[in-house]
Amino acid sequence: MLVVTSNWCVSDGTLATGPTRGLIDRFRDEVRRSSLRLGFRHDGIYRPVEGVDVVLAGDTFDWLVSREWIGETRPWETGSRAAAALERVAAGSRRRSGRLLATLTAWTRRGIEIPLADRRGRPTPGVCRRVPVRVAVLCGGRDRWLDRVVNEAVPPGLVVGRCWSDGDVTVWHGTEFDPLWAADGGEPTLGESLAVDLIARFGGGLNAVAVLRPLAGGLMRRLAAGRILDAPLQLAAWLAAIDRSDKLSPAARQSLFDTWNRSVGLWHRSARRLPPQGEGGIDLVGLLAEWMELKEAAVGRRERHPLSARLPVGHAVLSDAAATIVLGHPTADLRLAAAWQTQVVCLGRQTLPVADGLGDDDAAPKTVVIHPGRERRQVDWLPMTAAEQRAGNCGVWISAGSWTERRVVDAA
């Protein structure tokens, strides 16, 4: 049995809150339930699974949204000062992910208890054996330095890498296919620049305003854990919900508006020093700055960002013979997935916020269980959040050809 989860985005806690204790417990319980459920085979006979592989497909940690980077130091810089700051951020995120890492470490040491089968091919209550669990943690876009500071971030027993494969399934994080995060243009990527010089800067500004400080942690969690391009949509939805609940005075609301737009302006100024990112003469930094600016008319409205058609298409090519490819990052262009003539499962964020704009479920990681051999039920989405249950079909977009030989499943 293979479990793939992505986008936990555990930060050092200096600007954003992390996943709730209940969410981590739910993940643990769902994996255990799945290991029992998948013991029932096509013929209805129960045969216990032989082992479990758990792959954290990138962005387990968020080392970009931190108070460490509000000054002059940046995580992508070389030198002892930046390295020391990155180690502090990594150590902080490990402390805050202690419950998640403790669960994974316990699994690797002791395995998971699975009921044995009786003579009739049914689970035997109270009679169990432990099956081995292997855990791999992949580098993502927000924690791409994981293999450099592994001693500070990942406990022994968990394998760190950039790709996982068993021949039938290949798991990548997938930033190579997103022009905002692909490292082709050097360091930093546009995604890293936006996370540090816009999102983190905004978090510092929120904490500097007394009336906004109590709301900063939850709001920053939503912005930091979501897709960077969706930050103004998330913020507008959050503001619309706040307006309905009448939690902010007009002065405080205006202060939030000003803090965000000032952060956008400062990011725009710093991003002008980055290498050109657009193609065909497109001023991609300028387009991003214009899109990121928060406008009063956008509050309460849901609209898709117009940048997708103008972003350069990723040029990374995935040469893999696996039947299923799992990406922990939303693909920039679904045509890339179709070109692989395979099943592609994307654990990326939903494009638009759901629920009432205030729930923390929007920032929950996505998790799937993959069990090769069941042709039409090869991917089971774990019900990690109440929002996914309300949204129907786990908020997953399924292409028209998803049940044919060329399948694309995208949660972005």
Side-chain angles (χ1 to χ4, degrees), residues 3 58 66 93 120 147 181 193 215 238 250 261 284 311 319 322 358 383:
V3 179
S66 168
S93 68
R120 294 176 296 175
D147 46 3
W181 291 91
S193 171
L215 304 172
W238 184 87
N261 286 333
L284 188 53
L311 293 175
S319 56
L358 289 176

Side-chain angles (χ1 to χ4, degrees), residues 1 12 80 101 106 117 141 160 259 305 318 332 354 389:
M1 182 179 103
D12 63 356
S80 58
L101 295 177
V160 174
T259 301
H305 59 75
L318 185 57
V354 296
Q389 295 168 3

Side-chain angles (χ1 to χ4, degrees), residues 331-388:
T331 53
D333 190 339
L334 289 178
R335 290 172 296 179
L336 293 175
W340 297 330
Q341 300 185 14
T342 188
Q343 173 173 273
V344 177
V345 180
C346 182
L347 303 181
R349 299 291 177 194
Q350 293 181 355
T351 300
L352 296 175
V354 296
D356 60 2
L358 289 176
D360 191 52
D361 286 343
D362 294 349
K366 299 288 186 183
T367 307
V368 298
V369 173
I370 299 176
H371 39 107
R374 300 186 179 186
E375 294 180 0
R376 294 178 65 84
R377 296 185 59 230
Q378 195 166 1
V379 176
D380 285 344
W381 291 80
L382 296 192
M384 293 288 292
T385 69
E388 289 181 3

Side-chain angles (χ1 to χ4, degrees), residues 1-18:
M1 182 179 103
L2 171 62
V3 179
V4 185
T5 182
S6 185
N7 304 308
W8 285 83
C9 293
V10 183
S11 70
D12 63 356
T14 56
L15 291 177
T17 61

